[in-house]
mmCIF file of all heavy atoms in Angstrom:
data_model
loop_
_atom_site.group_PDB
_atom_site.id
_atom_site.type_symbol
_atom_site.label_atom_id
_atom_site.label_comp_id
_atom_site.label_asym_id
_atom_site.label_seq_id
_atom_site.Cartn_x
_atom_site.Cartn_y
_atom_site.Cartn_z
ATOM 1 N N VAL A 931 -72.848 -60.213 27.940
ATOM 2 C CA VAL A 931 -74.262 -60.265 27.580
ATOM 3 C C VAL A 931 -74.417 -60.608 26.097
ATOM 4 O O VAL A 931 -75.246 -61.454 25.719
ATOM 5 C CB VAL A 931 -74.946 -58.929 27.921
ATOM 6 C CG1 VAL A 931 -76.408 -58.954 27.479
ATOM 7 C CG2 VAL A 931 -74.864 -58.649 29.413
ATOM 8 N N LEU A 932 -73.612 -59.950 25.234
ATOM 9 C CA LEU A 932 -73.705 -60.227 23.799
ATOM 10 C C LEU A 932 -73.290 -61.658 23.483
ATOM 11 O O LEU A 932 -73.904 -62.317 22.613
ATOM 12 C CB LEU A 932 -72.829 -59.241 23.028
ATOM 13 C CG LEU A 932 -73.276 -57.779 23.055
ATOM 14 C CD1 LEU A 932 -72.240 -56.905 22.371
ATOM 15 C CD2 LEU A 932 -74.639 -57.605 22.396
ATOM 16 N N THR A 933 -72.277 -62.171 24.168
ATOM 17 C CA THR A 933 -71.855 -63.553 23.945
ATOM 18 C C THR A 933 -72.946 -64.526 24.357
ATOM 19 O O THR A 933 -73.205 -65.527 23.671
ATOM 20 C CB THR A 933 -70.565 -63.832 24.724
ATOM 21 O OG1 THR A 933 -69.554 -62.913 24.320
ATOM 22 C CG2 THR A 933 -70.076 -65.241 24.478
ATOM 23 N N THR A 934 -73.613 -64.269 25.477
ATOM 24 C CA THR A 934 -74.719 -65.132 25.914
ATOM 25 C C THR A 934 -75.857 -65.111 24.902
ATOM 26 O O THR A 934 -76.436 -66.159 24.576
ATOM 27 C CB THR A 934 -75.209 -64.671 27.295
ATOM 28 O OG1 THR A 934 -74.121 -64.722 28.222
ATOM 29 C CG2 THR A 934 -76.343 -65.559 27.791
ATOM 30 N N CYS A 935 -76.189 -63.934 24.377
ATOM 31 C CA CYS A 935 -77.246 -63.843 23.371
ATOM 32 C C CYS A 935 -76.886 -64.636 22.124
ATOM 33 O O CYS A 935 -77.731 -65.345 21.541
ATOM 34 C CB CYS A 935 -77.504 -62.385 23.005
ATOM 35 S SG CYS A 935 -78.159 -61.371 24.359
ATOM 36 N N LEU A 936 -75.637 -64.516 21.679
ATOM 37 C CA LEU A 936 -75.217 -65.235 20.483
ATOM 38 C C LEU A 936 -75.209 -66.734 20.713
ATOM 39 O O LEU A 936 -75.624 -67.517 19.832
ATOM 40 C CB LEU A 936 -73.825 -64.747 20.065
ATOM 41 C CG LEU A 936 -73.252 -65.322 18.767
ATOM 42 C CD1 LEU A 936 -74.189 -65.037 17.601
ATOM 43 C CD2 LEU A 936 -71.864 -64.779 18.509
ATOM 44 N N THR A 937 -74.779 -67.188 21.875
ATOM 45 C CA THR A 937 -74.791 -68.615 22.190
ATOM 46 C C THR A 937 -76.215 -69.160 22.203
ATOM 47 O O THR A 937 -76.504 -70.236 21.663
ATOM 48 C CB THR A 937 -74.122 -68.849 23.546
ATOM 49 O OG1 THR A 937 -72.847 -68.229 23.564
ATOM 50 C CG2 THR A 937 -73.961 -70.337 23.817
ATOM 51 N N PHE A 938 -77.125 -68.426 22.837
ATOM 52 C CA PHE A 938 -78.527 -68.827 22.879
ATOM 53 C C PHE A 938 -79.107 -68.915 21.467
ATOM 54 O O PHE A 938 -79.804 -69.880 21.114
ATOM 55 C CB PHE A 938 -79.312 -67.827 23.728
ATOM 56 C CG PHE A 938 -80.797 -68.001 23.678
ATOM 57 C CD1 PHE A 938 -81.426 -68.952 24.452
ATOM 58 C CD2 PHE A 938 -81.569 -67.194 22.845
ATOM 59 C CE1 PHE A 938 -82.802 -69.112 24.403
ATOM 60 C CE2 PHE A 938 -82.937 -67.337 22.792
ATOM 61 C CZ PHE A 938 -83.561 -68.304 23.570
ATOM 62 N N ALA A 939 -78.840 -67.917 20.628
ATOM 63 C CA ALA A 939 -79.402 -67.909 19.285
ATOM 64 C C ALA A 939 -78.884 -69.069 18.450
ATOM 65 O O ALA A 939 -79.645 -69.707 17.705
ATOM 66 C CB ALA A 939 -79.070 -66.580 18.607
ATOM 67 N N ARG A 940 -77.612 -69.390 18.556
ATOM 68 C CA ARG A 940 -77.059 -70.480 17.757
ATOM 69 C C ARG A 940 -77.577 -71.832 18.217
ATOM 70 O O ARG A 940 -77.831 -72.720 17.398
ATOM 71 C CB ARG A 940 -75.533 -70.431 17.816
ATOM 72 C CG ARG A 940 -74.948 -69.297 17.004
ATOM 73 C CD ARG A 940 -73.448 -69.364 16.977
ATOM 74 N NE ARG A 940 -72.913 -68.422 16.005
ATOM 75 C CZ ARG A 940 -71.615 -68.235 15.796
ATOM 76 N NH1 ARG A 940 -70.742 -68.922 16.512
ATOM 77 N NH2 ARG A 940 -71.207 -67.370 14.894
ATOM 78 N N ASN A 941 -77.764 -72.017 19.533
ATOM 79 C CA ASN A 941 -78.294 -73.289 20.038
ATOM 80 C C ASN A 941 -79.712 -73.515 19.549
ATOM 81 O O ASN A 941 -80.055 -74.579 19.027
ATOM 82 C CB ASN A 941 -78.241 -73.295 21.564
ATOM 83 C CG ASN A 941 -76.903 -73.773 22.095
ATOM 84 O OD1 ASN A 941 -76.673 -74.962 22.239
ATOM 85 N ND2 ASN A 941 -76.016 -72.840 22.369
ATOM 86 N N LEU A 942 -80.575 -72.487 19.692
ATOM 87 C CA LEU A 942 -81.957 -72.646 19.291
ATOM 88 C C LEU A 942 -82.098 -72.764 17.781
ATOM 89 O O LEU A 942 -82.952 -73.514 17.289
ATOM 90 C CB LEU A 942 -82.802 -71.472 19.810
ATOM 91 C CG LEU A 942 -83.539 -71.751 21.135
ATOM 92 C CD1 LEU A 942 -82.534 -71.961 22.263
ATOM 93 C CD2 LEU A 942 -84.483 -70.620 21.489
ATOM 94 N N HIS A 943 -81.277 -72.057 17.045
ATOM 95 C CA HIS A 943 -81.350 -72.147 15.593
ATOM 96 C C HIS A 943 -80.941 -73.534 15.114
ATOM 97 O O HIS A 943 -81.537 -74.071 14.159
ATOM 98 C CB HIS A 943 -80.467 -71.091 14.951
ATOM 99 C CG HIS A 943 -80.513 -71.083 13.457
ATOM 100 N ND1 HIS A 943 -81.656 -70.779 12.742
ATOM 101 C CD2 HIS A 943 -79.557 -71.376 12.523
ATOM 102 C CE1 HIS A 943 -81.425 -70.868 11.456
ATOM 103 N NE2 HIS A 943 -80.155 -71.240 11.291
ATOM 104 N N ARG A 944 -79.961 -74.143 15.746
ATOM 105 C CA ARG A 944 -79.555 -75.486 15.346
ATOM 106 C C ARG A 944 -80.640 -76.511 15.643
ATOM 107 O O ARG A 944 -80.923 -77.412 14.835
ATOM 108 C CB ARG A 944 -78.253 -75.859 16.060
ATOM 109 C CG ARG A 944 -77.687 -77.192 15.574
ATOM 110 C CD ARG A 944 -76.323 -77.506 16.171
ATOM 111 N NE ARG A 944 -76.419 -77.654 17.599
ATOM 112 C CZ ARG A 944 -75.950 -76.772 18.482
ATOM 113 N NH1 ARG A 944 -75.388 -75.655 18.033
ATOM 114 N NH2 ARG A 944 -76.046 -76.968 19.778
ATOM 115 N N CYS A 945 -81.293 -76.380 16.828
ATOM 116 C CA CYS A 945 -82.386 -77.297 17.172
ATOM 117 C C CYS A 945 -83.554 -77.134 16.214
ATOM 118 O O CYS A 945 -84.140 -78.115 15.726
ATOM 119 C CB CYS A 945 -82.838 -77.051 18.606
ATOM 120 S SG CYS A 945 -81.606 -77.496 19.846
ATOM 121 N N ALA A 946 -83.912 -75.876 15.902
ATOM 122 C CA ALA A 946 -85.026 -75.640 14.997
ATOM 123 C C ALA A 946 -84.719 -76.115 13.590
ATOM 124 O O ALA A 946 -85.602 -76.580 12.864
ATOM 125 C CB ALA A 946 -85.374 -74.152 14.992
ATOM 126 N N HIS A 947 -83.460 -76.001 13.203
ATOM 127 C CA HIS A 947 -83.089 -76.444 11.868
ATOM 128 C C HIS A 947 -83.257 -77.949 11.714
ATOM 129 O O HIS A 947 -83.567 -78.438 10.619
ATOM 130 C CB HIS A 947 -81.636 -76.055 11.579
ATOM 131 C CG HIS A 947 -81.179 -76.424 10.215
ATOM 132 N ND1 HIS A 947 -81.589 -75.773 9.079
ATOM 133 C CD2 HIS A 947 -80.332 -77.422 9.787
ATOM 134 C CE1 HIS A 947 -81.026 -76.318 8.019
ATOM 135 N NE2 HIS A 947 -80.269 -77.334 8.416
ATOM 136 N N ASP A 948 -83.098 -78.702 12.795
ATOM 137 C CA ASP A 948 -83.252 -80.147 12.745
ATOM 138 C C ASP A 948 -84.713 -80.574 12.793
ATOM 139 O O ASP A 948 -85.043 -81.696 12.403
ATOM 140 C CB ASP A 948 -82.504 -80.799 13.910
ATOM 141 C CG ASP A 948 -81.013 -80.566 13.801
ATOM 142 O OD1 ASP A 948 -80.531 -80.324 12.672
ATOM 143 O OD2 ASP A 948 -80.319 -80.600 14.850
ATOM 144 N N LEU A 949 -85.614 -79.678 13.292
ATOM 145 C CA LEU A 949 -86.988 -80.103 13.567
ATOM 146 C C LEU A 949 -88.033 -79.469 12.666
ATOM 147 O O LEU A 949 -89.101 -80.035 12.452
ATOM 148 C CB LEU A 949 -87.347 -79.784 15.024
ATOM 149 C CG LEU A 949 -86.533 -80.516 16.094
ATOM 150 C CD1 LEU A 949 -86.913 -80.004 17.466
ATOM 151 C CD2 LEU A 949 -86.768 -82.011 16.017
ATOM 152 N N HIS A 950 -87.817 -78.269 12.144
ATOM 153 C CA HIS A 950 -88.917 -77.574 11.491
ATOM 154 C C HIS A 950 -89.178 -78.045 10.058
ATOM 155 O O HIS A 950 -90.109 -77.582 9.419
ATOM 156 C CB HIS A 950 -88.650 -76.056 11.473
ATOM 157 C CG HIS A 950 -87.689 -75.637 10.399
ATOM 158 N ND1 HIS A 950 -86.346 -75.574 10.620
ATOM 159 C CD2 HIS A 950 -87.881 -75.272 9.092
ATOM 160 C CE1 HIS A 950 -85.730 -75.177 9.519
ATOM 161 N NE2 HIS A 950 -86.649 -74.995 8.568
ATOM 162 N N ASP A 951 -88.356 -78.982 9.549
ATOM 163 C CA ASP A 951 -88.563 -79.465 8.178
ATOM 164 C C ASP A 951 -88.634 -80.993 8.176
ATOM 165 O O ASP A 951 -87.738 -81.673 7.670
ATOM 166 C CB ASP A 951 -87.433 -78.989 7.268
ATOM 167 C CG ASP A 951 -87.768 -79.243 5.795
ATOM 168 O OD1 ASP A 951 -88.961 -79.447 5.506
ATOM 169 O OD2 ASP A 951 -86.826 -79.248 4.977
ATOM 170 N N PRO A 952 -89.686 -81.584 8.765
ATOM 171 C CA PRO A 952 -89.792 -83.057 8.780
ATOM 172 C C PRO A 952 -90.072 -83.594 7.395
ATOM 173 O O PRO A 952 -90.395 -82.868 6.465
ATOM 174 C CB PRO A 952 -90.952 -83.297 9.728
ATOM 175 C CG PRO A 952 -91.796 -82.081 9.609
ATOM 176 C CD PRO A 952 -90.846 -80.948 9.372
ATOM 177 N N GLN A 953 -89.977 -84.940 7.275
ATOM 178 C CA GLN A 953 -90.206 -85.566 5.977
ATOM 179 C C GLN A 953 -91.683 -85.510 5.606
ATOM 180 O O GLN A 953 -92.569 -85.546 6.439
ATOM 181 C CB GLN A 953 -89.758 -87.031 6.007
ATOM 182 C CG GLN A 953 -88.265 -87.192 6.192
ATOM 183 C CD GLN A 953 -87.858 -88.664 6.175
ATOM 184 O OE1 GLN A 953 -88.721 -89.553 6.127
ATOM 185 N NE2 GLN A 953 -86.554 -88.897 6.223
ATOM 186 N N GLU A 954 -91.961 -85.396 4.317
ATOM 187 C CA GLU A 954 -93.326 -85.352 3.818
ATOM 188 C C GLU A 954 -93.977 -86.727 4.004
ATOM 189 O O GLU A 954 -93.328 -87.770 3.880
ATOM 190 C CB GLU A 954 -93.333 -84.973 2.333
ATOM 191 C CG GLU A 954 -92.882 -83.559 2.070
ATOM 192 C CD GLU A 954 -93.880 -82.544 2.557
ATOM 193 O OE1 GLU A 954 -95.058 -82.893 2.705
ATOM 194 O OE2 GLU A 954 -93.467 -81.388 2.810
ATOM 195 N N PRO A 955 -95.286 -86.744 4.301
ATOM 196 C CA PRO A 955 -95.957 -88.043 4.420
ATOM 197 C C PRO A 955 -95.986 -88.772 3.088
ATOM 198 O O PRO A 955 -95.873 -88.173 2.013
ATOM 199 C CB PRO A 955 -97.367 -87.655 4.879
ATOM 200 C CG PRO A 955 -97.543 -86.247 4.436
ATOM 201 C CD PRO A 955 -96.208 -85.624 4.501
ATOM 202 N N GLY A 956 -96.123 -90.100 3.181
ATOM 203 C CA GLY A 956 -96.083 -90.900 1.950
ATOM 204 C C GLY A 956 -97.315 -90.725 1.097
ATOM 205 O O GLY A 956 -98.330 -90.176 1.491
ATOM 206 N N GLY A 957 -97.286 -91.251 -0.127
ATOM 207 C CA GLY A 957 -98.418 -91.148 -1.051
ATOM 208 C C GLY A 957 -98.212 -90.068 -2.062
ATOM 209 O O GLY A 957 -97.247 -89.300 -2.026
ATOM 210 N N ASP A 958 -99.138 -90.023 -3.018
ATOM 211 C CA ASP A 958 -99.079 -89.030 -4.068
ATOM 212 C C ASP A 958 -99.550 -87.695 -3.529
ATOM 213 O O ASP A 958 -100.689 -87.564 -3.078
ATOM 214 C CB ASP A 958 -99.954 -89.475 -5.238
ATOM 215 C CG ASP A 958 -99.786 -88.574 -6.430
ATOM 216 O OD1 ASP A 958 -98.891 -87.679 -6.394
ATOM 217 O OD2 ASP A 958 -100.535 -88.740 -7.387
#
Side-chain angles (χ1 to χ4, degrees):
V931 177
L932 293 174
T933 302
T934 302
C935 295
L936 184 58
T937 308
F938 171 81
R940 287 186 170 178
N941 273 275
L942 264 65
H943 182 64
R944 186 174 63 252
C945 293
H947 182 73
D948 296 336
L949 296 175
H950 79 270
D951 191 18
Q953 294 182 354
E954 293 290 338
D958 188 7

